[in-house]
């Protein structure tokens, strides 16, 4: 099978500048100790951090064209932001609001005042908007049909495992009659105890909540499907950043930690494991960049490239976090060392937006390798 | 500095003076070398123009489009990839002028006399001796080399030999250019796991090498050899591979064309390897883009590891996929191929030949050490052989 013109797999100067800005913000305001401290409260998100990221750096509107109030950048830049958020295991509703909800809104009729108004606010970081879909919902999977419109946009139903709902000002709800924007105070949330302490989960309960209709059922479904594709493709960059932190941190640790009168990093058994992990991370970078570039250019190859990136990067992130815990020995098992935050995020990310198995099945379809 | 437009103009001049259709192949290649279009980054007069390496692609593309003959780079890969950069870096002016042109044209094939039965991964432990004759100043070489590809077609060899056994192993080695037609050079086919003799053993008995064919200073051989080895390892990754361009292609083809072979267990493994092969392709492409942008990354040292593992896993899956057919082998007759050709061969051959991918050109274990130490900065293994005289090492 032929492949398209090669993707641009490098980072541009602009992307490097964006990375430095995000990285230095996170270094100042999102160290591991404060992430952990927040994770133990019922408000894991830091609204101040979000405001600086969203408005100071302008990261929330990267995917939104300038005429709609955004930065007019692309998935390539959003991917760089996600790499840094993954590296810091930052509790920020970026994937949900700046990527998934934003892409859903962009997939609706942006000429309509309701859509454009909400989109501009989300792009400006003035409101956090979160899609009321389970975090595990995958591109290519059947969309949930649990919310009913009792007439005139009065919605009833429940959606479980909605990420970042607790930070939302507005929820995007997919109902039988279309897509609705529902103000967060009009729904009730049943918080779950999440495996990933840095990405809170809740069940969204709609009990006659009034929504503003943004799209009819067909348009709504298409918009959500497109957003899931982008979300899955960009999640690979979060996984990359996370894996890279785990590798760097572990290499640093085994260089300094002495046992048997030598640095443990001088033992070949450990060196080979870390060298293999480095290879995996370098490969994950190529896969994640290809997905971001394919989405940015609207390549017809994007669905396959995203499926490849997701089928690959989830495993690398989990392996990196598992190696990080193991090679830190006893300290890797403690609550005070941040390794567990990364392991929990990596494992949860491997379920988010489709498992490896789901994405492999998509590869089978796109690459014409049918099951028996 | 020459621009790509100027370079393209030079290519057109060459083509006008030597139309590929009406010119003898080697004459054309000599003219190309003399025009500085062989290796554009080499110095003028030595096949190049002192241009940025990235411009080579411009020259290659123009020449390919014009239907110009190439120098069959796969056949002379050791000369191009290893001997040439080492001669360029360490050779005398006379050596560069004598050897580089016929090497590039392919008139003289090169092989590499490095590995020995007792010195593979621990290459610096080699025992082949070179002793200087007092009157003539020539070197007399005795020893045995092994795993030598192309020795049976080679005119010249790069050779490392021990010139001072009283020094620690890395310090007593000297690098030579060895005439494969000299008396005392005996090449014997070495039959392998595939049944073929793609490699050779080379026995050196009283082989006389003039001092003018020494490359670098006496005792500097290890340093010179490192240039060769580094070039050996970076040679991969420069090529653009299409999707399914590697070993995954035939397996995916068999899967599509022969539904009766499909099982669920094989499907899962196929998809896993298909994804990994595609990611490896993208990683190689990213490396290529980094090189082209003048930002070489350390990923090159990893590509060989990845391809070795993938080739072995994919070819293993393919044999299994073929079922009954996988029980059969194409031909055990001993042959002496000039090239390794994976794609033109059966799955069983691919499976067996791929076993060498993690051994030849540096074992995967050694390459993992290199990645760990040079890329990740992990400490070296403690070594007690570095300061001991070679003659006192355990053997």
């Amino acid at each position: 099978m032929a492949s398209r013109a090669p993707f641009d797999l490098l980072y541009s100067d602009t992307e490097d500048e964006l990375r430095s800005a995000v990285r230095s913000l996170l270094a100042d305001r999102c160290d591991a100790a404060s992430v952990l401290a927040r994770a133990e409260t019922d408000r894991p998100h830091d609204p101040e951090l979000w405001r600086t990221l969203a408005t100071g750096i302008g990261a929330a509107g990267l995917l939104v064209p300038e005429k709609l109030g955004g930065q007019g950048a692309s998935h390539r830049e959003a991917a760089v932001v996600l790499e840094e958020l993954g590296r810091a295991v930052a509790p920020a509703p970026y994937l949900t609001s700046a990527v998934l909800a934003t892409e859903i809104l962009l997939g609706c009729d942006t000429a309509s005042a309701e859509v454009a108004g909400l989109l501009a606010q989300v792009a400006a970081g003035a409101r956090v908007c979160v899609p009321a879909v389970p975090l595990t919902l995958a591109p290519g999977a059947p969309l949930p049909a649990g919310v009913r419109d009792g007439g005139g946009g009065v919605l009833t139903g429940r959606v479980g495992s909605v990420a970042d709902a607790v930070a939302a000002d507005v929820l995007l709800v997919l109902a039988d009659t279309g897509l609705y924007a529902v103000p967060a105070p009009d729904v009730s949330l049943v918080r779950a105890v999440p495996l990933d302490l840095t990405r809170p989960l809740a069940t969204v309960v709609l009990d006659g909540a009034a929504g503003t209709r943004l799209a009819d059922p067909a348009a709504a479904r298409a918009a959500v499907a497109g957003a899931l594709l982008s979300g899955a493709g960009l999640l690979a960059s979060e996984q990359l950043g996370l894996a890279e932190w785990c590798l760097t941190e572990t290499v640093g640790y085994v260089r300094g930690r002495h046992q048997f009168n030598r640095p443990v990093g001088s033992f070949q058994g450990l060196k080979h494991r870390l060298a293999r992990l480095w290879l995996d991370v370098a490969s994950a970078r190529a896969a994640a960049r290809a997905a971001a570039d394919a989405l940015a250019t609207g390549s017809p190859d994007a669905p396959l490239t995203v499926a490849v990136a997701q089928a690959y990067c989830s495993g690398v992130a989990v392996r990196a976090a598992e190696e990080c815990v193991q090679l830190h020995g006893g300290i890797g098992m403690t609550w005070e060392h941040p390794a567990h935050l990364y392991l929990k995020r990596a494992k949860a990310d491997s379920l988010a937006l489709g498992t490896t198995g789901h994405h492999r099945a998509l590869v089978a379809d796109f690459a014409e390798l049918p099951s028996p | 500095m020459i621009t790509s437009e100027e370079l393209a103009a030079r290519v057109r001049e060459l083509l006008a003076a030597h139309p590929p259709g009406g010119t003898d192949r080697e004459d054309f290649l000599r003219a190309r070398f003399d025009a500085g279009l062989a290796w554009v980054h080499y110095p003028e007069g030595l096949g190049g123009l002192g241009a940025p390496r990235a411009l080579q692609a411009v020259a290659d593309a123009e020449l390919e489009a014009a239907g110009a003959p190439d120098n069959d780079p796969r056949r002379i890969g050791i000369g191009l990839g290893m001997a040439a950069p080492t001669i360029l870096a360490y050779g005398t002016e006379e050596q560069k002028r004598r050897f580089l042109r016929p090497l590039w044209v392919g008139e003289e094939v090169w092989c590499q006399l490095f590995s020995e039965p007792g010195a593979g991964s621990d290459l610096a432990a080699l025992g082949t001796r070179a002793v200087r004759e007092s009157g003539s100043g020539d070197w007399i070489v005795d020893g045995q080399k092994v795993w030598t590809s192309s020795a049976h077609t080679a005119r010249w060899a790069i050779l490392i030999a021990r010139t001072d056994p009283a020094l620690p192993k890395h310090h007593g080695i000297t690098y030579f250019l060895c005439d494969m037609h000299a008396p005392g050079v005996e090449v014997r086919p070495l039959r392998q796991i595939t049944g073929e003799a793609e490699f050779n053993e080379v026995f050196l008995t009283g082989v006389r090498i003039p001092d003018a064919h020494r490359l670098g200073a006496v005792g500097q051989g290890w340093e010179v050899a490192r240039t060769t080895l580094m070039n050996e390892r970076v040679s991969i990754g420069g090529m653009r591979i299409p999707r399914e361009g590697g070993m995954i292609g035939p397996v995916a083809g068999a899967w599509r064309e022969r539904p009766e072979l499909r099982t669920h267990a094989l499907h899962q493994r196929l998809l896993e390897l298909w994804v990994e092969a595609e990611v490896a392709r993208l990683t190689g492409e990213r490396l290529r883009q980094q090189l082209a942008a003048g930002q070489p990354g350390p990923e090159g040292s990893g590509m060989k590891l990845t391809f070795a593992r993938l080739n072995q896993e994919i070819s293993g899956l393919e044999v299994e996929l073929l079922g009954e057919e996988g029980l059969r082998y194409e031909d055990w007759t001993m042959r002496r191929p000039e090239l390794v050709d994976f794609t033109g061969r059966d799955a069983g051959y691919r499976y067996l030949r791929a076993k060498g991918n993690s051994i030849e050109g540096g074992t995967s274990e050694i390459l993992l050490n290199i990645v760990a130490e040079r890329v990740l900065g992990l400490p070296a293994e403690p070594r007690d052989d570095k300061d001991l005289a070679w003659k006192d090492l355990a053997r």
Side-chain angles (χ1 to χ4, degrees):
Chain A
M1 41 182 316
S3 41
R4 315 265 161 191
F7 303 118
D8 175 1
L9 302 173
L10 305 181
Y11 297 102
S12 70
D13 293 344
T14 322
E15 286 160 22
D16 285 338
E17 283 163 27
L18 176 63
R19 177 196 302 288
S20 319
V22 176
R23 191 181 287 191
S24 72
L25 170 69
L26 294 171
D28 285 352
R29 306 266 289 275
C30 189
D31 61 288
S34 57
V35 171
L36 185 57
R38 285 193 167 277
E40 292 187 85
T41 70
D42 61 355
R43 302 292 302 172
H45 297 112
D46 175 353
E48 282 302 309
L49 173 72
W50 176 253
R51 198 163 302 131
T52 312
L53 180 69
T55 59
I57 295 179
L62 289 173
L63 295 177
V64 179
E66 285 179 77
K67 64 177 185 342
L68 294 171
Q71 307 295 319
S74 78
H75 300 80
R76 294 176 53 91
E77 289 81 5
V80 169
V81 174
L82 278 164
E83 273 183 40
E84 294 310 309
L85 293 172
R87 193 188 310 279
V89 69
Y94 194 84
L95 183 68
T96 44
S97 185
V99 177
L100 289 168
T102 298
E103 287 281 47
I104 292 174
L105 293 171
L106 285 167
C108 297
D109 177 11
T110 52
S112 103
E114 285 83 8
V115 172
L118 181 53
L119 188 58
Q121 287 185 309
V122 173
R127 289 217 277 178
V128 171
C129 180
V130 162
V133 296
L135 183 60
T136 48
L137 187 62
L143 298 177
V147 178
R148 306 257 158 239
D149 180 359
V154 177
L155 308 173
T156 306
R158 298 168 71 88
V159 189
S161 303
V162 177
D164 296 332
V166 296
D169 302 305
V170 185
L171 293 149
L172 295 182
V173 177
L174 189 60
D176 52 351
T177 53
L179 183 77
Y180 293 84
V182 180
D186 296 354
V187 307
S188 51
L189 299 179
V190 181
R191 298 180 65 125
V193 179
L195 174 67
D196 173 7
L197 292 159
T198 58
R199 190 168 270 154
L201 295 177
T203 297
V204 173
V205 182
L206 299 131
D207 183 16
T212 307
R213 191 165 186 259
L214 302 178
D216 66 36
R221 285 172 179 271
V224 172
L228 292 172
L229 179 69
S230 289
L234 294 183
L235 179 61
S237 288
E238 177 178 305
Q239 291 165 323
L240 166 65
L242 186 156
E244 206 175 32
W245 184 90
C246 292
L247 173 65
T248 307
E249 198 69 10
T250 309
V251 166
Y253 181 75
V254 301
R255 282 167 70 173
R257 167 81 171 169
H258 282 67
Q259 298 275 270
F260 306 102
N261 198 37
R262 49 195 269 208
V264 296
S266 69
F267 287 97
Q268 201 170 56
L270 268 60
K271 285 161 79 171
H272 284 193
R273 279 166 73 162
L274 287 165
R276 284 200 189 91
L277 187 58
W278 173 80
L279 276 177
D280 292 347
V281 172
S283 303
R285 182 179 308 286
R289 280 274 93 189
D293 193 65
L295 290 166
T297 58
S299 163
D301 225 15
L304 172 57
T305 307
V306 166
V308 165
Q310 267 305 297
Y312 189 78
C313 295
S314 286
V316 173
V318 171
R319 200 152 56 247
E322 289 177 347
E323 290 289 72
C324 182
V325 170
Q326 174 66 23
L327 300 185
H328 275 80
I331 195 171
M333 217 33 216
T334 64
W335 188 263
E336 67 182 297
H337 190 278
H340 67 99
L341 294 174
Y342 287 83
L343 178 62
K344 290 161 187 172
R345 171 71 72 87
K347 195 65 185 172
D349 273 1
S350 75
L351 276 65
L353 294 155
T355 59
T356 298
H358 177 83
H359 287 284
R360 266 188 210 142
L362 293 177
V363 168
D365 287 346
F366 298 133
E368 292 162 22
L369 298 165
S371 62
Chain B
M1 197 66 81
I2 191 166
T3 65
S4 63
E5 290 74 29
E6 287 162 356
L7 188 73
R10 284 190 79 116
V11 173
R12 285 192 293 274
E13 264 173 55
L14 169 74
L15 290 164
H18 306 271
T23 311
D24 171 74
R25 182 175 167 280
E26 287 192 349
D27 285 344
F28 180 86
L29 291 169
R30 284 184 205 103
R32 178 175 167 186
F33 185 94
D34 296 340
L37 297 169
W39 295 284
V40 298
H41 55 292
Y42 273 36
E44 287 191 48
L46 296 173
L49 298 165
R53 187 188 284 257
L55 285 187
Q56 185 70 48
V58 176
D60 290 348
E62 289 265 340
L63 287 158
E64 197 191 329
D70 72 13
N71 57 354
D72 200 357
R74 292 185 60 207
R75 190 177 65 94
I76 58 169
I78 293 170
L80 291 175
M82 292 171 242
T86 315
I87 292 171
L88 182 71
Y90 287 96
T92 60
E93 284 312 305
E94 199 182 336
Q95 286 169 338
K96 293 179 203 174
R97 237 166 277 288
R98 162 64 187 86
F99 291 112
L100 290 176
R101 189 172 184 252
L103 181 158
W104 188 85
V105 170
E107 292 166 275
E108 292 180 346
V109 174
W110 285 70
C111 68
Q112 178 179 331
L113 296 175
F114 279 21
S115 293
E116 298 183 5
S121 288
D122 187 10
L123 181 60
L126 60 90
T128 290
R129 289 293 312 275
V131 177
R132 196 155 195 185
E133 197 178 60
S134 52
S136 65
D138 291 349
W139 297 85
I140 308 299
V141 181
D142 288 279
Q144 183 192 345
K145 297 287 180 175
V146 76
W147 302 122
T148 317
S149 8
S150 307
H152 54 296
T153 53
R155 179 68 184 77
W156 290 94
I158 42 179
L159 162 74
I160 45 178
R162 185 154 310 279
T163 44
D164 191 346
L167 292 175
K169 63 182 182 180
H170 293 97
H171 299 290
I173 295 173
T174 303
Y175 199 116
F176 298 97
L177 308 176
C178 174
D179 180 352
M180 291 297 285
H181 292 181
V185 176
E186 188 198 346
V187 177
R188 293 187 202 160
L190 181 62
R191 198 171 185 200
Q192 295 138 236
I193 195 168
T194 55
E196 316 195 315
E198 176 197 321
F199 297 118
N200 302 275
E201 297 180 288
V202 178
F203 294 83
L204 305 161
T205 314
V207 177
R208 181 175 292 274
I209 298 181
D211 192 54
H213 288 174
R214 170 167 52 79
L215 195 65
V218 174
Q220 196 194 9
W222 184 250
E223 187 188 323
V224 183
R226 279 172 52 115
T227 301
T228 309
L229 297 173
M230 261 177 338
N231 278 288
E232 178 171 18
R233 286 166 193 153
V234 298
S235 59
I236 214 162
M239 263 191 307
R240 177 171 282 165
I241 311 168
R243 182 173 287 156
E244 290 192 7
M247 226 187 269
I248 196 73
V251 197
W255 184 269
R256 291 187 190 110
E257 284 151 30
R258 303 181 54 184
E260 76 280 6
L261 300 174
R262 297 175 193 162
T263 70
H264 286 286
L266 289 170
H267 192 226
Q268 286 309 308
R269 283 173 57 203
L270 174 67
L271 291 174
E272 194 174 341
L273 290 170
W274 196 95
V275 166
E276 288 187 34
E278 173 68 1
V279 172
R281 180 183 80 84
L282 292 168
T283 310
E285 175 62 23
R286 183 168 144 79
L287 176 65
R288 205 194 58 74
Q289 292 180 7
Q290 281 177 292
L291 289 172
Q295 350 164 323
E299 287 82 353
S301 37
M303 292 309 294
K304 179 180 181 290
L305 281 160
T306 300
F307 282 120
R309 182 180 61 80
L310 277 178
N311 283 350
Q312 292 175 355
E313 290 186 21
I314 293 168
S315 59
L317 172 71
E318 189 180 4
V319 170
E320 205 177 318
L321 170 67
L322 292 175
E324 270 184 64
E325 213 176 290
L327 292 173
R328 297 194 287 270
Y329 192 71
E330 56 185 273
D331 184 5
W332 290 116
T333 312
M334 190 181 107
R335 286 179 291 183
R336 309 220 64 197
E338 271 196 32
L339 293 174
V340 182
D341 174 21
F342 275 124
T343 45
R345 305 291 294 274
D346 284 1
Y349 170 84
R350 278 200 276 279
Y351 172 69
L352 294 172
R353 181 59 186 81
K355 293 291 161 240
N357 290 169
S358 52
I359 302 171
E360 60 201 342
T363 62
S364 290
E365 288 69 22
I366 290 290
L367 292 180
L368 286 168
N369 279 353
I370 290 175
V371 168
E373 290 171 19
R374 302 209 190 133
V375 180
L376 298 178
L378 290 172
E381 294 273 313
R383 295 176 57 172
D384 57 12
D385 60 343
K386 276 197 146 165
D387 301 319
L388 269 183
W390 176 81
K391 62 183 171 54
D392 298 329
L393 294 176
R395 253 181 289 280

